[in-house]
Each structure stands twice: as structure tokens, then as C-alpha cells.
Amino acid sequence: MPLLILLLLFFALELGLFIELGSQIGILATLLEIVVSAVIGVQLIRLTGFRVLQEMQAGMVNQWWLQVRQQTIARRMFAGLLLIAPGFATDALGLVLLVWSWMGPSGPRTPPPGQDQQTDPTSGRVIEGDYERRD
């Protein structure tokens, strides 16, 4: 029941913003904003899914990678869905989520279990490998 009330309040806010801002900026600018945000949202979902598919085909995806990246992928997909929905509040929420997914951490940057990462001091590249300590 509280979720239904929150959804109704959000839709009322969305409608109020749509009417108020739409009357201030004009119908052409409002329609242009709706179309542009929908195109950006569709492209965001398409490119995120395409990138994940490419990484899977390249064999870069394993259980560890999916756990690390799933939050970032989910944020970008949900941001794209919010940008597709018409309205100013959903677009603002989608942009905040999109910026958060780009700026925020995409998960722990630790190597998979059983592997160690070291940086090559000459080139700055990360060298991954298994090691066994012998005393």
C-alpha cells in the first residue's frame, strides 16, 4: 500500500512538472526534450547491451566479472528506461543515475580469487598470475 501511494505521488509530481515547465518553455521545446531524451535512453540501453555482448563473445566475462559489473550495467539500463519515459522528473532521475554509473565505482577492483595483480614498473601494465609461496 505505501508503494502505491508513493507511485501516485510521483506521477502527480511528474504531471505537475510536465504542465508547469511545458507551459514555461513552450510546446516545441517540451516535445523536443521528450524526443531527445527518448533517443538518448534507447541508445544507452542498446550500447550497454552491445558492449556486454562484445565482452562475452571476447571471452572476457566470467562469474567474477559479472559480479563486479552487474551494478553498473543495471544502473545504466535503468537510467535508459527512465530517459525513455516522457516527463521531466523521470529524465532528471535518469540523468542522475547515469552520472552516478559513470562517476561511481563499478565494483571492487580486486583480482579474482586465487590470482594476484602486480604492476609492471616499466610500462604501468597490470600483470596477473597465480603464485605459490615457498618458504
Side-chain angles (χ1 to χ4, degrees), residues 66-109:
L66 286 175
Q67 290 174 353
V68 169
R69 297 267 305 181
Q70 72 185 16
Q71 289 181 348
T72 302
I73 293 167
R75 279 187 218 128
R76 288 184 185 166
M77 292 288 196
F78 192 62
L81 288 174
L82 287 174
L83 287 171
I84 291 172
F88 293 104
T90 54
D91 289 345
L93 201 59
L95 286 175
V96 167
L97 202 57
L98 183 61
V99 168
W100 181 33
S101 73
W102 277 335
M103 300 296 231
S106 62
R109 302 201 187 279

Side-chain angles (χ1 to χ4, degrees), residues 21-102:
L21 290 175
S23 66
Q24 289 182 5
I25 65 173
I27 191 166
L28 188 61
T30 303
L31 291 175
L32 186 65
E33 188 272 335
I34 290 170
V35 170
V36 168
S37 69
V39 168
I40 290 171
V42 167
Q43 289 297 321
L44 181 65
I45 289 173
R46 190 177 71 82
L47 291 176
T48 301
F50 185 66
R51 183 174 178 189
V52 170
L53 183 63
Q54 278 182 329
E55 290 173 350
M56 288 176 75
Q57 287 176 344
M60 295 172 52
V61 177
N62 57 24
Q63 183 86 17
W64 173 79
W65 183 89
L66 286 175
Q67 290 174 353
V68 169
R69 297 267 305 181
Q70 72 185 16
Q71 289 181 348
T72 302
I73 293 167
R75 279 187 218 128
R76 288 184 185 166
M77 292 288 196
F78 192 62
L81 288 174
L82 287 174
L83 287 171
I84 291 172
F88 293 104
T90 54
D91 289 345
L93 201 59
L95 286 175
V96 167
L97 202 57
L98 183 61
V99 168
W100 181 33
S101 73
W102 277 335

